Amino acid sequence: MKEIRSRSPGKLMAPLSWLILAGFLPAQAATNDISLQFHYGVNWAGAEFGQALPGTEGREYRWPTAESLDYWQSRHVGLIRLPFMWERLQPVLMKDFDPAYSAGLERSVKLMRERGMKVLLDVHNYAHYRKESIGSRKVPVEAFADLWRRLAE
């Protein structure tokens, strides 16, 4: 991991301000003595694949294995972007998660965290649910908030 220190942040401050406002960085990062750690990361494609709903693990979609994560850990990867399909995780808006798909997601996050990796969960739906836009009458913003609330629990 690389560490960056700056005594005069100058041009770095504007992008940092946006990251702080978006909640990606703590507010203390905007001081004159900033210290940021950057991680090498990979995008783990697999759980968002396939059109079949709910789909079958191992056929339409896949979760990371311990062996694959060990490989990336040996390459000093500290961040995994983990895309998943909203419709598979929550087949009905505002209702419980699918037990099998949810277990795969939880297992994956646990494996990553056991290896000291950071995880970036990615609802990989391009701002849609079943081809309807988030914020539409059929997919209200409250449904998207409900998804994240349940993920946080």
Side-chain angles (χ1 to χ4, degrees):
M1 287 179 265
K2 294 182 179 181
E3 189 170 298
I4 295 177
R5 292 195 183 275
S6 174
R7 292 177 198 246
S8 62
K11 293 181 181 179
L12 187 59
M13 289 309 295
L16 283 178
S17 298
W18 284 106
L19 291 172
I20 291 165
L21 289 173
F24 292 113
L25 289 177
Q28 66 264 26
T31 67
N32 284 341
D33 185 23
I34 62 171
S35 177
L36 300 175
Q37 286 190 345
F38 291 91
H39 295 273
Y40 293 102
V42 296
N43 179 54
W44 180 269
E48 79 287 12
F49 283 168
Q51 298 301 312
L53 292 173
T56 303
E57 184 175 353
R59 188 172 40 189
E60 283 85 24
Y61 65 91
R62 299 182 189 286
W63 294 107
T65 63
E67 295 79 16
S68 65
L69 294 171
D70 288 341
Y71 170 82
W72 289 113
Q73 184 184 33
S74 76
R75 301 298 187 269
H76 307 288
V77 168
L79 175 66
I80 304 285
R81 177 175 169 245
L82 184 59
F84 62 92
M85 188 181 285
W86 185 4
E87 294 88 348
R88 283 199 183 115
L89 182 61
Q90 192 176 39
V92 180
L93 290 177
M94 312 287 280
K95 299 291 183 187
D96 291 338
F97 287 167
D98 174 80
Y101 197 78
S102 178
L105 178 62
E106 288 181 29
R107 182 178 63 247
S108 299
V109 170
K110 182 176 184 271
L111 288 170
M112 292 170 193
R113 300 297 292 157
E114 287 172 352
R115 286 156 179 77
M117 296 171 158
K118 306 281 187 207
V119 183
L120 178 82
L121 295 177
D122 171 21
V123 184
H124 204 73
N125 287 65
Y126 304 99
H128 289 80
Y129 180 91
R130 299 191 188 273
K131 300 183 182 178
E132 297 290 337
S133 297
I134 296 172
S136 67
R137 197 173 52 79
K138 291 184 178 179
V139 186
V141 172
E142 292 79 14
F144 191 59
D146 175 73
L147 168 71
W148 282 106
R149 182 188 57 77
R150 290 172 191 269
L151 281 167
E153 290 178 344

